[in-house]
Amino acid sequence: MPTEPTLALARFVAYTKPHELPERVRREAKRAMLNWLGCAIGASRQDTVERAIAALAPFAGPPQATILGRRERFDIGHAALLNGMTSHTFDFDDTHLKTIIHPTGPVASALLALAEHMPVTGEEFIHAFVLGTEVECRIGSAVYPSHYDIGWHITGTAGVFGAAAAAGRLLGLSEQQLVWALGIAATQACGLREMFGSMCKPLHVGLAARNGLQAALLAQQDFTSATQPIEGRRGFANVLATERDLSRISDRLGGTWELEANSYKPFACGVVVHPVIDGCLQLRAEHDLSADSIAAIELKVHPLVLELTGKKAPRTGLEGKFSVYHSAAVAIIDGAAGPAQYSDARVADAKVVALRDRVYATIGQALSEDAAHVSIRLADGRVLERFVAHALGSVGNPVSDRDLEAKFRGLCAPILTEDAAAAIIAACWRLDASAECGALARLTVPQLRAAEATAEGR
Amino acid sequence: MPTEPTLALARFVAYTKPHELPERVRREAKRAMLNWLGCAIGASRQDTVERAIAALAPFAGPPQATILGRRERFDIGHAALLNGMTSHTFDFDDTHLKTIIHPTGPVASALLALAEHMPVTGEEFIHAFVLGTEVECRIGSAVYPSHYDIGWHITGTAGVFGAAAAAGRLLGLSEQQLVWALGIAATQACGLREMFGSMCKPLHVGLAARNGLQAALLAQQDFTSATQPIEGRRGFANVLATERDLSRISDRLGGTWELEANSYKPFACGVVVHPVIDGCLQLRAEHDLSADSIAAIELKVHPLVLELTGKKAPRTGLEGKFSVYHSAAVAIIDGAAGPAQYSDARVADAKVVALRDRVYATIGQALSEDAAHVSIRLADGRVLERFVAHALGSVGNPVSDRDLEAKFRGLCAPILTEDAAAAIIAACWRLDASAECGALARLTVPQLRAAEATAEGR
């Protein structure tokens, strides 16, 4: 392998063979797909997607690809954009903890749309998916943390490379075309952390998917870009980061797999809050806690928790996802931290607000990102403590396949029948044997109920 | 006016009235439109656009808007993208010299596509166009030069704001919606200088147009973004620049007009080379020079000339635009520096290469960007010298309306009949009186010749 990052990645994507993937990486790909599909289906009726569809539908192309969980079909670019967006709308998607990239959204959204437009076997799909996530996580690793610290939403900026690489693989691009695709992706890398808490945050994931897909389509027609878009003097790594380690892109490329460091959130909010929620849920279950019995909740957390989720008085469900205070309160009151706990109504609920105002968080400098210390002072003077070393869902404490299935069914419940959800779960676990995996997308389309079918004249 | 940049711009775009524009600014808008249309029509058959259309057409939406100079029609997003791209393909479009932004491409490409989709009068169009260029140039001024020095292609990164503001105005967005539109634009700001010399450079302009247009369409549906996307801690100005002066955004907003500092290139290459070409053409005309008679051409130039156009041995027409050596050689040999002088063939021509190798350039620290010193040493020992204080086309030496018309006709000659070109020129000069200015785009569509009409069965 060459050490020039762009060339190394282009060759890796062009020449790696499906049989070179370890079985455990293949399995992780299927877990990632199931988790991603659930997030996208579950959020498919949120305002974010309704407004985006209202804005963009009049300009969309032929009905080539499915909007997951919905009946509309759009061109593959718009499908990639909308599915990428919905899959991140609940902040419930997967996380590559080394970089805080949510790796599946950009890559899978581009790939599944493409797989509805051209014949793609499950084996090809999983292979392209793994290559795409490898590319985005390695590029992200090379610029993390300075890139993120400056203010870039790394899932958007690194994700566009992953989408381009994965789509480029399915399109059979040459080594040169893959260099161009990575370049066309590099020059569209975007997404500012200033947008966190607004609808633009999930939009970034959709943009990465659409822009990466279009980068591959352009490169397929020999649309040229720079030859060193990542490492060049005015390329991605120099312009969008203050420190970088480009060796992380090419070192042991093909020998290690970033997807093995992927994690799936059990809770529907920023991953840095998960250790706190885990600790609160454990104490609640063990001591049958209620809000009334609690005088104060005192948290010791990693510095990023306050930086990213320090909102003391969130006003909307979306802002609630960025509030460690709200998250601790609903964990105690509801015994859960799913999408229902991050609705506008739940954030405004008087009982939740009252407990939230009794949550205090301070920084524990020695804590790792997946750890937290929760101390609950009861009204009767007792103090309950719990140290969470590795939050549920972290690499050190991964969710099981059964956990993932349960999460998936929970996300689909408002949208699909139980049978439909079960069919998707089964299709995911046997995805590598699929002869034509675009069909997976169509399984997510809600069937008309009898009454609706009559109303629509069928 | 508030001094918070985003809010100031949103109010400026929402509340400024057409009659508040000075007549000279309106006139400059018409000059900018004529120049832009010529550049887009002239480049409408280049590989860049052919490849982009081949890549994107299968996914495009309804035939809502014209691709300038061509018969295809696409949805307004793709039309904005393709017209923005073609208008910058020849590097022949306008330049706001204070920031090196090419202001018209992003804004006009978004606006004209939108004007084919909804009724827009010429007065509304010109007003929105002026507001859009004002927004992009002021945002660009606030971060120039550090933003550009880092490696950002400022026409892409600032242009997306201009397109969003202009489209937002036509769509009648509220103050709040305009804040969101600027935010959705900010988080898509992209385009790396590493791409210069590849097809991605003009693509940036198209992306700015499409992304800005879509930002306005999303905001129209109340798709939310940050409230301080430009000035926020992790907003555009902090993340994409190392130094910034945000007062340049709001100071005297509505009282001065950046379009008055716009300039139009007489030559089809990077604007920093223009003083050299101007000097060479003057000496050639006065002394009837030929390549054979020249021993060496010695240039003293602004530092940016070598930084941006220092390619000693360009291999393609595109690279030739970034070679002061090639530019000086063709100016002497052809007496011109139009699109024909930047073809692949012309760059590879043995006579051009031979003279190019006798061109030497050094930095003159005291020179302004629109100045150069040309010294031609003849084979017979004589030395001819010319100092160009303000290159033709610079703000200090602007091209006339007649120059612009001649440039337009030259650009259109391979694509349109003389009558068709004349009709567009006339329509531009009376654009402010147009009742429905989407018609301007359709004037650029080549009519079928009789033989073609027969072949197409008409």
Side-chain angles (χ1 to χ4, degrees), chain B residues 160-176:
Chain B
V160 68
F161 291 100
R169 171 74 196 202
L170 282 195
L171 292 170
L173 299 193
S174 69
E175 182 183 312
Q176 171 65 76

Side-chain angles (χ1 to χ4, degrees), chain A residues 47-49 51-62 64 75-78 81 85 114 117 148-152 180 182-184 186-195 197-200 202-204 207 210-211 214 217-219 221-229 231-236 238-240 307-308 318, chain B residues 47-49 51-62 64 75-78 81 85 114 117 148-152 180 182-184 186-195 197-200 202-204 207 210-211 214 217-219 221-229 231-236 238-240 307-308 318:
Chain A
D47 278 352
T48 307
V49 65
R51 292 180 194 182
I53 288 177
L56 301 177
F59 315 106
Q64 296 160 337
D75 64 275
I76 64 174
H78 278 93
L81 188 153
M85 191 174 73
L114 194 53
H117 186 61
Y148 189 79
D149 291 344
I150 298 170
W152 291 105
W180 287 332
L182 291 170
I184 303 167
T187 209
Q188 295 185 80
C190 68
L192 297 169
R193 282 174 59 199
E194 186 69 24
M195 301 296 144
S198 83
M199 292 181 176
C200 281
L203 177 65
H204 297 160
L207 293 171
R210 180 199 64 182
N211 296 346
Q214 291 189 339
L217 291 166
L218 285 163
Q221 300 297 332
D222 292 334
F223 195 96
T224 67
S225 74
T227 54
Q228 300 195 311
E231 66 272 28
R233 180 175 164 210
R234 291 187 173 116
F236 173 82
N238 281 320
V239 176
L240 283 83
E307 186 179 338
L308 299 177
L318 200 56
Chain B
D47 278 352
T48 306
V49 66
R51 293 179 193 181
I53 288 177
L56 301 176
F59 315 105
Q64 296 160 339
D75 64 274
I76 64 173
H78 278 93
L81 188 152
M85 190 174 74
L114 194 53
H117 186 60
Y148 190 80
D149 291 344
I150 298 170
W152 292 105
W180 288 332
L182 292 170
I184 303 166
T187 209
Q188 295 185 79
C190 69
L192 297 169
R193 282 174 58 198
E194 186 69 23
M195 301 296 145
S198 83
M199 292 181 177
C200 281
L203 177 65
H204 296 161
L207 293 172
R210 180 199 63 181
N211 296 345
Q214 291 188 340
L217 291 166
L218 285 163
Q221 299 298 332
D222 292 334
F223 195 96
T224 66
S225 74
T227 54
Q228 300 195 311
E231 67 273 28
R233 179 174 164 210
R234 291 185 173 117
F236 173 81
N238 281 320
V239 176
L240 283 82
E307 186 180 338
L308 299 177
L318 200 56

Side-chain angles (χ1 to χ4, degrees), chain A residues 355-437:
Chain A
L355 182 56
R356 179 179 88 196
D357 289 344
R358 304 202 295 279
V359 178
Y360 306 90
T362 54
I363 289 172
Q365 289 294 353
L367 291 170
S368 66
E369 281 180 34
D370 59 345
H373 187 272
V374 177
S375 172
I376 298 185
R377 192 151 44 78
L378 299 180
D380 63 15
R382 281 183 299 153
V383 175
L384 310 174
E385 308 215 34
R386 178 59 41 97
F387 176 66
V388 176
H390 300 289
L392 180 64
S394 66
V395 174
N397 185 15
V399 295
S400 66
D401 289 356
R402 287 186 65 96
D403 290 337
L404 280 177
E405 291 183 6
K407 176 180 172 183
F408 181 84
R409 282 192 298 267
L411 281 162
C412 289
I415 313 291
L416 297 177
T417 63
E418 284 181 28
D419 286 352
I424 298 168
I425 292 171
C428 274
W429 293 140
R430 61 169 188 261
L431 183 58
D432 39 357
S434 166
E436 208 285 89
C437 63

Side-chain angles (χ1 to χ4, degrees), chain B residues 141-166:
Chain B
S141 297
V143 294
Y144 187 87
S146 79
H147 173 71
Y148 190 80
D149 291 344
I150 298 170
W152 292 105
H153 184 192
I154 193 168
T155 300
T157 53
V160 68
F161 291 100

